Amino acid sequence: MYVDFLVKESSVFTVDPVSSYISLYGTDHFSKPDQTLRLIAKQLLSVCATLGEDPIIRYQVTENDDPDDHRPRAPPATRQLANILQNEIDDFCRLNRNFPPPRNPPQPRATLLIVDRSLDVNAPILHEFTYQAMINDLLPVEDTENGTGIKYSYSFNQADGSIGEKEVILDEDDEVYKSIRHLHIADCTDRLIEEFNKFLEENKTAVQSGDRSGPPKDSAKSLKDMKEMLGNLPQFQDMKAKYSAHLSIAQECLSIFEKHKLNSVGNLEQNIATGETPDGETPKTIVLDMVPLLDDPYVSPADKARLLMLYIISKENGIFEDDKHKLLEHAKLKGEFRDAVNNLNLLGVQITKQRRKAGEKSSRKRKDRKRQQDETPYELSRYIPQLKKVMDAQLSNTLEASQFAFTRQSDMDPADDGGVPSSNPGIPQSGVSLRTTKPTWSKKSTAVPGGGGQSRASGAKLIVFVLGSLSYSEIRSVYEVADMYNRDVYIGTTDIMRPTKFVEETGQLRLKTPTIKSLIPAYVPPSPPPTSSKVSSLLPHMPHMNNNSSSHLSLSNLSIRSGSGSNPTPESNKNVDDKADKKKKKGLKKLFG
């Protein structure tokens, strides 16, 4: 099987090396500019081969110019990777004449979009308040050994009043987790009660026969009811354990939410990232609201760094150097968190600007922002990842070719991809602004009810690859877009980063790229069989050998050499083999007449 990637979820995969964020965006990448990209391309070829796709490859067109860095720069990584991958796929197709395999019914070619982290620097920094994202952001979780889930240990009250410890694994084998992982935390408890009542209905007879505490209840109306009913279901230990675990996890997330003042932090982050308040007004007190949070000891250093980074990102022309220094002093950031703020320019963000001279006019353009309140009902979840807008534009055939180029001009020709009709689907009729255009997926009605887990064969697949890192909000967006368009959509990266890790690694971008061992161990050839005295002792008894000369025993293709003196010459070996063959033929002749 040609599988050189790791499947994290049903629609999510990762490739090596996990150090590529630092190696691609850091200052150390000039020494070996395309070594990482060639490794990634080989693994993306494996993804395409597994899916049976020779995809149309498009890549984000990026301006890779840093005004503070005057060294010669390689072409943008997205273009390099796209071209290397195109060559790999072309070679693979030449060697495999039957690739891609025929499909019945026929299906159009997939599209593979390659983007880098500069597309959206906000997404990996923002607090995300959906269940899966909160768990990975706020709780001390660890990846499972196979990399397809996470482990979390929590405390709970036992029947005898003591405190117990339990470890739970959250992955796609947990149907309860799958049903709530992309929900806003405010909806999780309602969904848990809803799923629990559905379970009760499906197992009504067994539940009623096992409830000895009084008249059986038909359903849980609250978390309190749910806890009481879980205690009376000893015959459903696995299901009881799952619901109990998710109740504990959700409550722990909400506890941290309150303790670290994430309501205030999250609301300010949303105002900064979206450029508007929940009422749709332009926020005018960002700094006044931010300084008390930077001074607050209950706000963690990582959260303070995230606030400052978002603020600088929102100022497209940067902030004044002295203002940056004052904000850093308020936050009292040290080490990697302080360096992360100063390293934003390596992700294409302008950090500082010069003060204008007297009489000089500002060149700043007024941003045209459009409200998105109808699509984001929660004030703390108003920001829509830019990648979601890109996927929406691709699936609706409106992705601007000047922003996402093709590796082949021929792939721009009109083709029926099973999506929204267009007079020329390959070349968009109108561009999509990644900053101001309202996404259109909320208007789509192509999803089949209840078809979230079914194969989406109504159109071409979409494969998205993010160079460097991927956030949980972007993962959630993939599932949402796939459901809205009734398509197979997959997303991959070199590393799925939790926000704190993203900030820490951004702080390391000016350091030497760390050497990280591959998950796949290097091939070690088997050692030759040991030469033992037993083998040597048998040699004198061989009919064609003696003790005084070097000897050679040929058993099919296995050779064992022994004896003293110099190694036998090819001629002597040939003579010995010829004698052995003659004896063998002579013996066969006697045996068979």
Side-chain angles (χ1 to χ4, degrees), residues 521-568:
Y523 172 73
V524 178
S527 57
T531 303
S532 65
S533 58
K534 291 183 178 179
V535 174
S536 300
S537 66
L538 291 174
L539 295 179
H541 302 285
M542 295 296 180
H544 60 285
M545 297 183 180
N546 58 62
N547 291 328
N548 298 323
S549 63
S550 297
S551 54
H552 176 242
L553 169 64
S554 178
L555 301 176
S556 299
N557 294 324
L558 177 65
S559 296
I560 302 175
R561 291 184 175 86
S562 179
S564 60
S566 59
N567 291 329

Side-chain angles (χ1 to χ4, degrees), residues 46 52 104 131 198 269 302 347 379 405 413 447 474 486 554 562 578:
S46 174
N104 189 19
Y131 188 59
K198 182 180 178 182
E269 286 180 350
L347 298 177
E379 292 183 3
D413 295 338
E474 290 165 330
N486 194 29
S554 178
S562 179
D578 288 344

